[in-house]
Amino acid sequence: SELTQDPVVSVALGQIVRITCQGDSLRHYYASWYQQKPGQAPILVIYGKDNRPSGIPDRFSGSNSGNTASLTITGAQAEDEADYFCNSRDITGNHVLFGGGTKLTVL
Amino acid sequence: QVQLQQWGAGLLKPSETLPLTCTVYGGSLSGYYWSWIRQTPGKGLEWIGEINPSGDTNYNPSLKSRVTTSIDTSKNQFSLKMTSVTAADTAVYYCARGLYFRSGRNPSYWYFDLWGRGTLVTVSP
């Protein structure tokens, strides 16, 4: 099984953007989402049904429906330009999956 | 504040064995899954494998024949060994802490809440 993401997404400054992740495993696991900027380790931005770790701005939110998970940024900022990866376990629960990543450009 | 500090060989020759270790500072190994993840230059994230404090392991099927993870609860650290490396194994390697909440009726929770800073491993003759 695998997780599929659009490779590139762009958004105008201050607008809403949705990044999606599809995969059969998402019927069994909430996706988690990570932001990665060049030269840095990924950081968790969304986990579970729609949870943000401490320090993550509330413009980041998550949702799940069927085999699709979405990360939404409401009012995108310049500092949100980064790569975003989704993650879950596979259907067996024995392996961990990552989506291929989405490069977000803020125009 | 819990931190993961990782170290290991940065430059290897083809066919050598890659050793990496990750120490947990300010926290315990208990209750978590401890993973190794890598990222080739300009590419996505690839999960390598995981271990829990009981020593149970899971591996990426594509790497399973070359990878071993171990854990030392007395030193609060876990390790990775990858044998027979090639240039294709050149990547940044991360250690990470995973949380797993299984649910019967609703979707289960899985996520990495803590990452090491990464170790660049280069395989070159």
Side-chain angles (χ1 to χ4, degrees):
Chain A
S1 59
E2 58 183 26
L3 299 176
T4 302
Q5 298 181 239
D6 291 329
V8 178
V9 171
S10 60
V11 60
L13 184 68
Q15 297 303 302
I16 299 174
V17 62
R18 179 170 295 161
I19 298 170
T20 60
C21 176
Q22 288 190 306
D24 288 341
S25 65
L26 299 181
R27 299 184 187 277
H28 307 274
Y29 291 89
Y30 290 114
S32 52
W33 291 93
Y34 306 85
Q35 177 193 71
Q36 186 180 35
K37 296 182 179 180
Q40 298 181 16
I43 61 169
L44 178 69
V45 294
I46 290 289
Y47 67 97
K49 195 172 184 180
D50 180 19
N51 302 103
R52 283 175 289 106
S54 174
I56 300 302
D58 60 6
R59 63 178 178 272
F60 289 87
S61 63
S63 62
N64 301 266
S65 179
N67 73 336
T68 301
S70 300
L71 171 69
T72 300
I73 306 174
T74 303
Q77 301 299 303
E79 61 264 32
D80 299 334
E81 188 163 285
D83 293 326
Y84 290 86
F85 296 92
C86 61
N87 167 239
S88 82
R89 298 189 75 90
D90 73 358
I91 293 174
T92 70
N94 293 330
H95 306 110
V96 174
L97 304 174
F98 283 101
T102 297
K103 183 176 185 60
L104 177 68
T105 299
V106 180
L107 305 172
Chain B
Q1 182 178 355
V2 183
Q3 293 185 346
L4 303 183
Q5 184 169 326
Q6 56 182 106
W7 72 90
L11 181 61
L12 294 168
K13 290 181 168 49
S15 80
E16 291 184 336
T17 294
L18 167 65
L20 290 171
T21 297
C22 186
T23 300
V24 181
Y25 290 100
S28 171
L29 292 171
S30 296
Y32 300 98
Y33 285 74
W34 301 94
S35 276
W36 292 97
I37 297 155
R38 71 181 182 180
Q39 186 170 35
T40 50
K43 300 285 185 170
L45 299 167
E46 180 180 31
W47 176 71
I48 299 170
E50 67 184 3
I51 189 166
N52 68 14
S54 298
D56 301 319
T57 57
N58 288 305
Y59 298 113
N60 185 322
S62 68
L63 297 170
K64 184 176 182 177
S65 64
R66 298 194 293 126
V67 170
T68 304
T69 57
S70 59
I71 195 163
D72 187 336
T73 54
S74 67
K75 295 181 179 179
N76 233 30
Q77 63 186 205
F78 59 105
S79 300
L80 170 74
K81 285 190 177 179
M82 180 181 289
T83 61
S84 305
V85 297
T86 70
D89 296 312
T90 294
V92 175
Y93 287 73
Y94 296 100
C95 58
R97 184 174 79 174
L99 291 96
Y100 196 173
F101 299 103
R102 293 175 179 82
S103 175
R105 294 182 60 185
N106 296 320
S108 297
Y109 281 55
W110 164 259
Y111 55 97
F112 293 111
D113 71 331
L114 193 62
W115 295 66
R117 297 182 67 177
T119 299
L120 174 60
V121 174
T122 302
V123 181
S124 179

